[in-house]
Amino acid sequence: MASLGLALLLAALSALVMLPAARHLVSLRSGERAQATVHTSGACLAGQCQVRFEAGGRTVVADLPVGSGGGKSAVGARLTVRYQPDNPRVVARQADVGGGGAAALTVVSAVASLFFLVLSIVAAVHLARRRRADRIR
């Protein structure tokens, strides 16, 4: 039962969190390009990084989305970003507009989910065979 629960949890993580994050990153592929600096450092993959850049003649501070790569960048580090022209606070690292870490985590969690699902099925079949063998005796 635990492996089935883990399989469902990983499937939910993949389908409800990481896949939408990867799609969001890909949607910024055609966005405006700008040079930015890291404004607030944190775990970028968890969406805890902020960048500062110029857009439309004003300075914008925006959060990098969940699934961003780059690890933990130091404050002041330079990077290229893509942003939506009508809403510059929607931004992603140029290196992530192919899906970034979110795409990799989507695949990893989906494969792990399938592994635990197969493990659950194998355990259920084994248990059923064992019970049937015990009844025959």
Side-chain angles (χ1 to χ4, degrees), residues 22-121:
R23 285 185 178 153
H24 171 70
L25 290 170
V26 170
S27 75
L28 289 165
R29 188 175 283 163
S30 62
E32 294 291 320
R33 189 177 180 159
Q35 292 299 313
T37 57
V38 175
H39 179 66
T40 304
S41 182
C44 294
L45 189 63
Q48 297 175 345
C49 291
Q50 288 184 321
V51 293
R52 181 178 39 222
F53 60 97
E54 297 291 322
R58 62 184 180 122
T59 300
V60 177
V61 175
D63 297 323
L64 288 177
V66 170
S68 296
K72 190 170 183 175
S73 300
V75 173
R78 303 221 13 106
L79 61 141
T80 303
V81 296
R82 293 273 183 172
Y83 66 92
Q84 288 182 348
D86 57 337
N87 186 1
R89 294 190 45 81
V90 177
V91 65
R93 288 179 347 127
Q94 170 70 36
D96 293 333
V97 296
L105 283 177
T106 299
V107 171
V108 169
S109 62
V111 168
S113 175
L114 288 174
F115 170 77
F116 284 109
L117 181 61
V118 168
L119 186 66
S120 298
I121 292 169

